[in-house]
Amino acid sequence: MAQQEDVFKKLVSHCKEYGFVFPSSEIYDGLGAVYDYGQNGVELKNNIKKYWWDSMTLLNENVVGIDSAIFMHPTIWKASGHVDAFNDPLIDNKDSKKRYRADVLIEEQLAKFEDKINKEVEKAEKKFGEAFDKEQFLSTNPRVLENQEKKDELHARFAKALNDSNLEELRQIILDYEVVCPISGTRNWTDVRQFNLMFSTEMGSTSDGAMKIYLRPETAQGIFVNFLNVQKSGRMKVPFGIAQIGKAFRNEIVARQFIFRMREFEQMEMQFFVRPGEELEWFAKWKEIRLKWHKALGMGDSMYRYHDHEKLAHYANAATDIEFRMPFGFKEVEGIHSRTDFDLGSHEKYSGKKIQYFDPELNQSYVPYVIETSIGVDRMFLSIMAGSFCEEELEGGDTRVVLKLPPALAPIKLAILPLVKKDGLPEMARKIMNELKFEFNCQYDEKDTVGKRYRRQDAIGTPYCVTIDYDSLNDNCVTIRHRDTMEQERVAISALRDIIADKVSVKNLLKKIVE
Ligand code: ATP
């Protein structure tokens, strides 16, 4: 674990050193849990967004996009339940004065039981080798069973406390399981209190009677309140979806782990409207499609898992997370929720407007049910960076840091490197770049040795380096070097475009999703 924490620290400094992510307002000592994306970060982020957007709007003829405003009528947040129920249960340690989310402390305790079980499995796997039967081991080993029982017991108690919003019971669980503050090491806890996560501001001047409005904590409500606009103007037929990418704001209390939990972040959400009664079928479909979207990136299937929710929100009848194995454990990157007709129904009630769909096949009107897929751009970014970051030992004792980014997402697709800064090589390099730059983000670099230039490109995840040498002047060939294998091959300049296009195209990723 300590080793993993170390990797995470290195990743955070790598993000800064190579222009991916900077702390916000750094020259004023920063602003908590707010970050800026640098020259490489913004490219990676844009590529993630494009991959998501295209997967939604190109692959599904019944999914269209919108871009709604961040400011919305305040009653929207009454209708959505955020004014009354968008709370985190907080608890303070009286000795360290540190504040924690009570639910997170308990989830960490649950993870401890799971860790113990996994350790037993690992030990037994080593001991029994090929003959190891995991299923049998899990159902018979006394230590596994003991931990499983403890975990189930805690799980049941925790789920009940959450469902009943029983804050005293949450505190009691923390006391009963002897959870200690990682800073002070004590169990001197305050009561658990609810804290609303929405930021508010005022619109209009005070003399006019300013209106308290909120910065949206999710993009979804902009989709719900535009349901009729899009359905009517686009002549959309249920089932259909509306996708949106945009900023969201939450006054997170325990903001840690870099860009995993931010106060200003970006979401990519898609609300899919279906006939009542068909929602669970669509839920299963979107669950599968979304996991394929992640896996198509080639980071390794074992990096992902589903996690069904402990507590279903009052409006949901099914919910799951897609988790990614971050350096600090499996964590939620995306949520998939079956939200019933709660949102549209609630907006109907609060706005007094009829928000229904006339289904010509059924010859009846209804409030559609909703399946939502909701993913954080920043968390996705972090998962990609964490999954790509490698420190490799090379032959001869050298090391290199390489970001093995999925090529379609890499900020720079190819570096163009004249071997020397003279004798016509830079001119030839520029000429190649001038042809390729319309399609690929290229970077020209003529400073330092080629070896050093390769390292710089490895560190930002550039899949290809193209070197122009003296022979190139005569044979119109260049050396192309592959980032992950470091293999080099001699290819004709005229072949470059196709070689690169094949590897870096978003199209090839999209094809994997529909396979
Ligand atoms: P968590 O339990 O981690 O607080 P959540 O369940 O509240 O997350 P949702 O409301 O389902 O999250 O939001 C959907 C997605 O938005 C999440 O899967 C995550 O990727 C992203 N997200 C939510 N909160 C944040 C945040 N504070 N910073 C960055 N991304 C976030």
Side-chain angles (χ1 to χ4, degrees):
M1 199 60 196
Q3 206 185 355
Q4 287 291 64
E5 274 166 24
D6 209 31
V7 171
F8 188 55
K9 269 194 203 140
K10 280 186 191 163
L11 178 65
V12 174
S13 36
H14 191 86
C15 279
K16 184 165 174 222
E17 189 179 345
Y18 288 93
F20 283 90
V21 182
F22 306 127
S24 158
S25 322
E26 199 185 4
I27 57 170
Y28 292 95
D29 297 331
L31 185 65
V34 185
Y35 290 89
D36 297 336
Y37 286 85
Q39 67 280 13
N40 289 317
V42 68
E43 297 290 345
L44 173 55
K45 203 172 173 215
N46 284 342
N47 292 340
I48 292 172
K49 289 194 269 187
K50 181 168 168 47
Y51 175 42
W52 183 87
W53 188 260
D54 287 356
S55 77
M56 286 295 171
T57 61
L58 301 185
L59 298 189
N60 303 287
E61 53 187 285
N62 56 355
V63 175
V64 292
I66 62 163
D67 183 18
S68 70
I70 288 173
F71 291 152
M72 286 192 266
H73 194 286
T75 310
I76 287 175
W77 304 110
K78 268 307 258 186
S80 69
H82 284 83
V83 171
D84 297 320
F86 193 50
N87 300 319
D88 272 349
L90 298 180
I91 190 163
D92 293 24
N93 182 273
K94 290 185 199 161
D95 299 318
S96 67
K97 309 266 183 288
K98 286 277 171 207
R99 183 162 285 180
Y100 300 90
R101 267 174 60 180
D103 56 332
V104 171
L105 289 180
I106 299 172
E107 271 167 11
E108 282 169 3
Q109 184 63 37
L110 278 168
K112 278 187 191 159
F113 290 129
E114 192 155 326
D115 280 350
K116 282 188 188 157
I117 295 173
N118 289 339
K119 284 216 178 90
E120 293 294 339
V121 171
E122 269 171 36
K123 260 201 309 197
E125 250 169 359
K126 273 201 196 120
K127 194 166 145 198
F128 297 113
E130 297 233 318
F132 182 61
D133 179 344
K134 191 170 168 188
E135 290 303 313
Q136 196 196 349
F137 183 78
L138 286 176
S139 58
T140 53
N141 178 277
R143 276 185 301 274
V144 168
L145 291 178
E146 187 192 332
N147 280 305
Q148 187 62 43
E149 198 182 322
K150 282 188 190 159
K151 189 183 154 207
D152 291 345
E153 202 177 294
L154 171 57
H155 183 277
R157 218 177 135 186
F158 176 43
K160 181 161 181 352
L162 284 180
N163 274 320
D164 300 346
S165 294
N166 186 344
L167 303 184
E168 274 165 34
E169 170 68 353
L170 285 177
R171 178 170 191 269
Q172 199 54 48
I173 295 176
I174 290 171
L175 296 180
D176 290 352
Y177 282 82
E178 304 187 340
V179 175
V180 296
C181 163
I183 309 285
S184 67
T186 71
R187 285 178 275 171
N188 195 4
W189 297 108
T190 62
D191 287 343
V192 177
R193 282 167 298 123
Q194 295 283 26
F195 181 88
N196 193 289
L197 298 179
M198 280 199 294
F199 283 102
S200 63
T201 185
E202 292 191 342
M203 185 176 262
S205 71
T206 341
S207 56
D208 284 332
M211 180 160 63
K212 180 175 178 183
I213 55 167
Y214 298 99
L215 298 188
R216 64 180 178 196
E218 62 175 28
T219 56
Q221 298 304 324
I223 291 180
F224 293 127
V225 298
N226 278 296
F227 168 78
L228 282 182
N229 284 336
V230 174
Q231 191 273 316
K232 293 218 160 93
S233 62
R235 293 178 297 118
M236 306 302 291
K237 290 197 173 58
V238 165
F240 75 92
I242 305 179
Q244 167 159 238
I245 300 179
K247 289 274 184 158
F249 305 84
R250 296 182 188 179
N251 196 3
E252 299 279 2
I253 302 312
V254 190
R256 275 200 226 114
Q257 287 159 331
F258 194 39
I259 55 173
F260 182 79
R261 193 173 298 288
M262 302 157 92
R263 297 202 166 102
E264 173 179 341
F265 58 102
E266 206 163 356
Q267 287 185 316
M268 307 189 279
E269 296 197 292
M270 195 277 300
Q271 267 46 57
F272 197 74
F273 301 95
V274 304
R275 277 185 190 159
E278 293 184 359
E279 71 275 11
L280 293 180
E281 215 176 292
W282 283 106
F283 174 75
K285 249 183 221 169
W286 279 108
K287 209 173 136 174
E288 193 188 323
I289 296 172
R290 292 305 305 147
L291 190 60
K292 275 190 172 177
W293 182 88
H294 287 275
K295 287 186 173 172
L297 290 168
M299 315 276 297
D301 290 0
S302 64
M303 300 300 277
Y304 304 92
R305 71 177 188 194
Y306 289 122
H307 173 247
D308 294 327
H309 278 207
E310 314 297 348
K311 175 197 179 186
L312 290 182
H314 54 288
Y315 48 75
N317 65 0
T320 197
D321 295 335
I322 293 178
E323 295 187 335
F324 183 82
R325 192 195 300 204
M326 300 278 187
F328 41 89
F330 270 103
K331 295 284 168 194
E332 168 183 347
V333 173
E334 170 157 8
I336 301 157
H337 312 123
S338 171
R339 295 176 71 121
T340 67
D341 58 354
F342 170 78
D343 302 273
L344 292 183
S346 189
H347 286 305
E348 208 174 35
K349 204 165 87 201
Y350 276 84
S351 67
K353 310 268 172 8
K354 194 169 166 210
I355 308 182
Q356 299 201 355
Y357 171 74
F358 177 74
D359 192 323
E361 279 173 37
L362 299 181
N363 197 26
Q364 96 186 46
S365 291
Y366 52 78
V367 178
Y369 271 44
V370 172
I371 305 303
E372 153 181 282
T373 72
S374 173
I375 168 168
V377 180
D378 313 85
R379 267 192 209 177
M380 183 64 199
F381 184 108
L382 181 59
S383 71
I384 295 289
M385 289 298 278
S388 304
F389 184 78
C390 295
E391 285 176 300
E392 283 183 352
E393 300 251 341
L394 303 177
E395 279 171 33
D398 230 6
T399 56
R400 71 163 181 160
V401 173
V402 53
L403 279 185
K404 295 188 173 174
L405 295 172
L409 302 186
I412 308 289
K413 305 301 186 205
L414 79 157
I416 300 198
L417 318 173
L419 188 64
V420 291
K421 279 193 253 186
K422 55 182 185 182
D423 301 332
L425 298 190
E427 288 75 9
M428 189 168 195
R430 288 279 181 204
K431 193 162 162 262
I432 295 173
M433 178 145 160
N434 281 335
E435 272 168 33
L436 295 178
K437 72 180 178 191
F438 298 100
E439 271 181 276
F440 312 115
N441 202 344
C442 308
Q443 196 169 78
Y444 179 86
D445 190 1
E446 59 179 21
K447 199 168 173 295
D448 300 320
T449 62
V450 171
K452 275 197 183 150
R453 286 183 259 170
Y454 283 162
R455 290 290 171 277
R456 281 202 284 269
Q457 296 301 329
D458 286 345
I460 61 169
T462 306
Y464 291 112
C465 288
V466 168
T467 306
I468 295 93
D469 57 23
Y470 284 105
D471 288 342
S472 308
L473 296 171
N474 304 316
D475 65 5
N476 272 321
C477 288
V478 288
T479 303
I480 187 164
R481 182 243 193 202
H482 299 256
R483 176 195 68 198
D484 299 347
T485 57
M486 296 190 287
E487 267 165 26
Q488 304 189 7
E489 51 176 329
R490 196 82 188 155
V491 301
I493 292 170
S494 57
L496 271 181
R497 189 227 153 250
D498 288 351
I499 294 174
I500 295 160
D502 180 55
K503 189 84 179 273
V504 307
S505 84
V506 170
K507 181 174 157 189
N508 287 345
L509 289 186
L510 295 177
K511 279 188 173 167
K512 285 194 206 162
I513 304 174
V514 292
E515 259 168 17

